[in-house]
Amino acid sequence: MIEGAGTGAGGILIGLTDLPLLLGIKIKLLYELASIYGFDVKDYRERMYILNIFQLAFSSQDHVNKIFAKIENWDEYKDTLSDDINDLDWRSFQQEYRDYIDLAKLLQLVPGIGAFVGAYVNNKLVDKLGEYAMYAYRMRILSDEVCVTKKTRWFSKIFIK
């Protein structure tokens, strides 16, 4: 929140630093949550799971539905992943994220209201990411055969509209 207010108050030049700073904060949050839930972030496939959580929180509803299907069956899906991180479609990943936050970040560059918009938006974006990450890791941990159908229905209500 402080980062958003500071970069919003600084105008356009300082506002340009907001995206990389906020992105770093979000990725650090995901790494810490993965560690808290007992997952090894040094594993390439775990980092791919983190990127999927990121997309789950900041994508269009159509894309969220696709990502949710991957996360729901992560144990099977992770075996199909390539060992080369360059095989990820980074352009698509970036465009989904960019399209999701465009207007809010544009308003943050407006002198005068930028600090307020930045503080509010950054707080909401980080809170949303944290909430989605906790749900995604809980869903992954609850892989007991008895819980699978109940778990899927409950989490589907959260992610899929």
Side-chain angles (χ1 to χ4, degrees):
M1 192 164 82
I2 293 170
E3 182 269 332
T7 56
I12 293 175
L13 290 178
I14 294 176
L16 294 175
T17 64
D18 179 60
L19 241 84
L21 290 172
L22 183 60
L23 190 60
I25 290 168
K26 290 176 183 177
I27 295 297
K28 176 118 173 87
L29 171 71
L30 290 174
Y31 270 61
E32 289 179 5
L33 283 171
S35 295
I36 288 170
Y37 281 96
F39 294 98
D40 181 17
V41 294
K42 293 178 183 171
D43 180 16
Y44 161 76
R45 286 171 174 76
E46 192 58 41
R47 291 192 305 262
M48 293 302 293
Y49 189 77
I50 286 171
L51 288 177
N52 278 283
I53 293 172
F54 194 86
Q55 285 188 313
L56 191 65
F58 304 118
S59 294
S60 65
Q61 191 59 51
D62 183 48
H63 195 68
V64 165
N65 295 344
K66 294 174 189 173
I67 296 298
F68 183 78
K70 287 182 193 177
I71 287 180
E72 188 176 31
N73 299 305
W74 185 255
D75 289 333
E76 293 83 26
Y77 178 74
K78 72 179 179 182
D79 295 332
T80 66
L81 289 173
S82 169
D83 288 333
D84 186 11
I85 197 162
N86 294 320
D87 289 341
L88 179 67
D89 184 6
W90 289 104
R91 179 178 299 274
S92 169
F93 178 83
Q94 180 269 336
Q95 286 175 339
E96 281 289 332
Y97 178 63
R98 182 202 64 202
D99 292 347
Y100 184 83
I101 65 167
D102 267 352
L103 181 61
K105 290 301 172 183
L106 187 61
L107 287 175
Q108 187 175 348
L109 297 175
V110 175
I113 65 165
F116 300 109
V117 171
Y120 179 78
V121 168
N122 285 8
N123 184 41
K124 291 297 181 186
L125 292 174
V126 172
D127 281 351
K128 180 179 182 179
L129 181 61
E131 183 179 347
Y132 274 51
M134 288 187 293
Y135 286 136
Y137 280 115
R138 289 173 188 166
M139 185 172 82
R140 192 167 163 196
I141 289 171
L142 295 174
S143 62
D144 185 346
E145 290 295 322
V146 175
C147 297
V148 169
T149 56
K150 289 181 183 177
K151 170 191 76 167
T152 300
R153 269 188 251 128
W154 187 74
F155 285 105
S156 293
K157 290 178 185 175
I158 295 167
F159 296 120
I160 301 175
K161 296 178 182 173

